[in-house]
Amino acid sequence: MTDQHRDESHRLASAEVVVGTDGSEAADLAVRWAAETASQRGRRLRIVHGLDLAATGSVYGMYDVIMPPVIDAIRGEGADVLRTARRLAHQIDPDLTVETELSDANPAHLLIELSEAAHLVAIGTAGSDGTLSYLGSTLLAVASHGRGAIVVVRDTGTEQQTRRVGPVVLGIDGGAGSTAAVGAAFAEASERRTRLVAVHAWSDLYFDRIAGLPYAVDHDAETAGQAILAEQLTGWQEKYPDVQVIRKVYLSGPRQALREWSRSAQLVVVGSRGRGGFRGLLLGSTSDALVQTAHCPVMVVRPQ
């Protein structure tokens, strides 16, 4: 399947909004965000919970064979988690079509598999202390290996964490890996009927801190940065004429720039790999920092 066909499959009317839940407050927030998105776009919502029975079996050994109620209890708790999540979704929209899926599979593997045909996959996390809290490594695995758009909804403990006003903000690095993120950002801005802020940082270093240099770019860097933005955005504004684009160039500090924009944005979009100012976006630097500190949901888009 070509990249274009994969991208189109995520936009089919049959493509679902998928959200993973473990019953935590962060997961509940992701469920509500996913329900709002599915409702506004006329899509089905699929809420999934992976039991990871293989890992459970390695802990309990033969105990589940000797005492079958152990597995029955685990499945019962999983069913309760899904029932609660369904109620949350229907609080957002009583008429929303909601499917639930209880799987024996590892939750990360389950979400990665579903991401192949999903409109998008949402997953929750909490905290800002550098600890990703959604079922251990699930968030990292899904954001790193999922297909299409993976949205990390972080529980910041404020009412503004899932706002539906403000721009869509796009981080552009100038590399080939930005293309998928650019397309996703334009589609999101059009869907949300809002403007798009395209951000490029000349370097991922903080020159203003380590060398006393100003945060603002000089004329040459501004010209070069605008050229990179123009190249990356070519064709997309024609495809989405309804989207107003604002272009911003910074000398350094992509994480700082995007984090500041996230205070007023309703969504930040980044690619999963990059070069230059956004290199290492496989949840290694910029995107890792954003999913832990952004003030709004972050969409991580991997090249197909």
Side-chain angles (χ1 to χ4, degrees):
M1 185 181 293
T2 67
D3 289 356
Q4 181 179 358
H5 288 159
R6 282 198 182 99
D7 181 67
E8 290 174 350
S9 70
H10 295 301
R11 306 201 183 284
L12 291 174
S14 59
E16 301 173 320
V17 173
V18 175
V19 59
T21 182
D22 63 353
S24 66
E25 291 184 5
D28 288 348
L29 181 65
V31 168
R32 289 193 290 268
W33 184 91
E36 289 177 359
T37 300
S39 176
Q40 292 172 357
R41 301 182 184 184
R43 295 183 179 275
R44 294 193 309 274
L45 176 67
R46 179 171 295 274
I47 308 173
V48 303
H49 178 68
L51 299 174
D52 200 3
L53 289 187
T56 302
S58 68
V59 173
Y60 284 94
M62 294 298 292
Y63 187 69
D64 62 305
V65 176
I66 300 171
M67 298 289 290
V70 172
I71 297 301
D72 292 341
I74 292 173
R75 288 201 174 100
E77 291 175 0
D80 288 341
V81 166
L82 289 175
R83 278 192 289 270
T84 299
R86 180 193 288 272
R87 286 196 295 269
L88 287 174
H90 279 147
Q91 287 174 7
I92 300 297
D93 181 356
D95 297 323
L96 180 65
T97 300
V98 180
E99 307 282 350
T100 60
E101 181 174 348
L102 181 65
S103 172
D104 293 349
N106 173 279
H109 295 167
L110 175 62
L111 290 170
I112 291 170
E113 180 180 356
L114 290 172
S115 72
E116 188 71 38
H119 177 61
L120 58 82
V121 172
I123 190 169
T125 187
S128 58
D129 58 357
T131 301
L132 297 175
S133 63
Y134 182 88
L135 295 179
S137 61
T138 298
L139 185 149
L140 290 172
V142 176
S144 298
H145 302 291
R147 299 289 183 243
I150 309 299
V151 179
V152 179
V153 184
R154 194 173 70 85
D155 186 357
T156 64
T158 69
E159 295 180 356
Q160 296 301 311
Q161 56 203 347
T162 58
R163 67 184 73 87
R164 292 288 174 173
V165 296
V168 170
V169 176
L170 166 67
I172 291 182
D173 68 346
S178 291
T179 302
V182 173
F186 267 95
E188 286 294 322
S190 179
E191 190 82 52
R192 296 162 184 268
R193 299 181 180 179
T194 190
R195 64 192 186 281
L196 175 65
V197 178
V199 175
H200 174 72
W202 187 249
S203 170
D204 57 358
L205 298 176
Y206 286 88
F207 288 131
D208 57 332
R209 294 182 183 178
I210 66 175
L213 295 177
Y215 185 61
V217 293
D218 60 19
H219 176 73
D220 291 340
E222 173 74 23
T223 300
Q226 290 291 346
I228 290 173
L229 288 176
E231 179 181 0
Q232 292 287 313
L233 300 176
T234 296
W236 290 105
Q237 289 185 274
E238 289 75 16
K239 185 175 181 180
Y240 293 95
D242 57 316
V243 177
Q244 175 191 2
V245 180
I246 299 171
R247 307 180 187 193
K248 295 290 184 178
V249 176
Y250 299 90
L251 177 64
S252 61
R255 283 169 286 178
Q256 180 187 23
L258 292 173
R259 186 166 57 246
E260 286 303 310
W261 274 106
S262 77
R263 294 181 184 276
S264 59
Q266 54 182 295
L267 184 72
V268 171
V269 181
V270 293
S272 62
R273 294 180 185 272
R275 297 178 181 176
F278 288 92
R279 67 175 177 267
L281 282 185
L282 188 58
L283 288 196
S285 58
T286 301
S287 55
D288 181 33
L290 286 173
V291 299
Q292 295 179 67
T293 63
H295 301 277
C296 70
V298 177
M299 176 180 284
V300 181
V301 185
R302 293 184 68 245
Q304 297 291 351

